[in-house]
Amino acid sequence: MSQAKTDDLKTGGFDTWAVIEQKRAADALVVVTVDDKAAIRQRIIAEIRRKKVTFVTRSEWKAKDAKASGLSNDWDYTGIALHHAGNSYTCDADGADKMRHVQQEHFSRGSSDIGYHYGIDCQGVIYEGRDIRYLGAHIGQVPKVIGIVMLADLSVRGEQRKVESDLPWWKKSNFGILPTYDDIAVNHDEPTETQIKALEVLTRVLKENFSGISRFGGHREWASQSGGNRACPGVYGLILAEMMRSKFALEKP
């Protein structure tokens, strides 16, 4: 069992929650240990698909291999952080292309892999990002927080400046002097109905599989705890975060 390929679980009768399998060979009882974390990863995929939401695994969107030496184990999640891909992304692009783009961006910054655990495009397709068994890199190296990125730009023009308005000058983008891309960007997205539904399904499935999840917040809300100045996930992303908190009885970070 431990040698089986685990990347693509479709549907079927496999009980992914099992802790052990027992197989009788002749008169001896052989106990085969199942990797609980791998099984839960697969169960999340299967449950999302059973809810009629398309889920695309890493191999299906042709993710590059992660740099294993830089990954750290993580589990027992207690929170979810919502992000948006930002100014250089729009709903018009293909979701798989956007995931590859995000992964390459994160590699170029020295990350071991894409930093988010899941991505959701505007058509409501959910993409597997960093393997859920590993610590994400989306609000620094904060453990036990699952990262979800909406593959769109959910901010409004000038939002970064507004977020930074009360910060000291040395914490502002370009020290508050030079214009930023956010100052001139005019194309923004609102979350689509299918994207919102996919986020609800993903949040529900994650909460069912990690009973310790009690907090849901936008990147900005998580970062503000340490004096951060992030506009992410944008005004629309913050609305989504509040919707998820209300629907699933979750708290702010």
Side-chain angles (χ1 to χ4, degrees):
M1 183 68 187
S2 61
Q3 301 301 314
K5 182 177 179 181
T6 61
D7 192 53
D8 289 320
L9 176 68
K10 304 298 182 184
T11 58
F14 176 54
D15 291 327
T16 58
W17 50 264
V19 175
I20 62 170
E21 281 188 352
Q22 293 182 333
K23 182 175 69 175
R24 189 170 298 279
D27 294 328
L29 181 65
V30 179
V31 178
V32 182
T33 302
V34 176
D35 183 344
D36 265 356
K37 295 180 180 179
I40 290 175
R41 170 191 168 272
Q42 291 181 336
R43 183 172 67 186
I44 289 169
I45 296 171
E47 289 179 355
I48 289 171
R49 287 172 170 165
R50 277 197 290 267
K51 294 180 186 298
K52 309 302 182 184
V53 174
T54 301
F55 188 100
V56 179
T57 63
R58 288 176 60 91
S59 65
E60 289 172 329
W61 61 265
K62 296 180 173 55
K64 293 183 179 179
D65 291 339
K67 302 171 185 176
S69 60
L71 297 176
S72 301
N73 293 330
D74 201 10
W75 205 247
D76 296 327
Y77 292 101
T78 61
I80 297 174
L82 187 67
H83 305 259
H84 74 147
N87 298 128
S88 58
Y89 294 81
T90 71
C91 277
D92 298 332
D94 175 74
D97 285 342
K98 285 187 278 191
M99 288 294 287
R100 289 190 290 269
H101 188 192
V102 173
Q103 186 185 41
Q104 188 55 48
E105 282 185 338
H106 290 192
F107 276 146
S108 69
R109 298 172 191 167
S111 182
S112 299
D113 194 8
I114 187 171
Y116 313 112
H117 294 101
Y118 301 98
I120 304 177
D121 71 13
C122 298
Q123 287 67 51
V125 177
I126 300 175
Y127 297 83
E128 180 181 32
R130 183 173 297 211
D131 191 307
I132 193 65
R133 290 169 285 185
Y134 297 115
L135 175 67
H138 51 95
I139 48 173
Q141 294 292 319
V142 178
K144 303 188 186 307
V145 180
I146 297 171
I148 301 173
V149 61
M150 308 300 274
L151 296 170
D153 179 5
L154 302 182
S155 64
V156 297
R157 184 175 183 176
E159 188 173 352
Q160 181 67 38
R161 294 280 187 183
K162 184 175 181 180
V163 171
E164 297 178 357
S165 60
D166 294 327
L167 294 175
W169 66 271
W170 48 272
K171 280 193 174 183
K172 296 181 179 181
S173 301
N174 293 318
F175 304 110
I177 301 171
L178 301 176
T180 67
Y181 187 86
D182 182 60
D183 292 325
I184 60 175
V186 295
N187 295 318
H188 305 284
D189 305 305
E190 292 187 25
T192 65
E193 289 298 320
T194 52
Q195 198 174 28
I196 295 170
K197 176 188 173 183
L199 178 60
E200 290 180 355
V201 168
L202 178 57
T203 302
R204 183 182 301 279
V205 171
L206 291 175
K207 194 170 183 293
E208 290 172 349
N209 282 276
F210 298 103
S211 59
I213 291 178
S214 61
R215 297 174 294 168
F216 192 114
H219 185 179
R220 182 189 310 183
E221 295 170 312
W222 289 94
S224 65
Q225 297 180 5
S226 56
N229 63 345
R230 302 303 300 265
C232 176
V235 293
Y236 295 116
L238 291 179
I239 291 172
L240 290 179
E242 179 57 37
M243 289 172 62
M244 296 305 108
R245 286 194 290 265
S246 176
K247 188 174 186 67
F248 297 105
L250 299 171
E251 300 176 352
K252 279 188 176 182

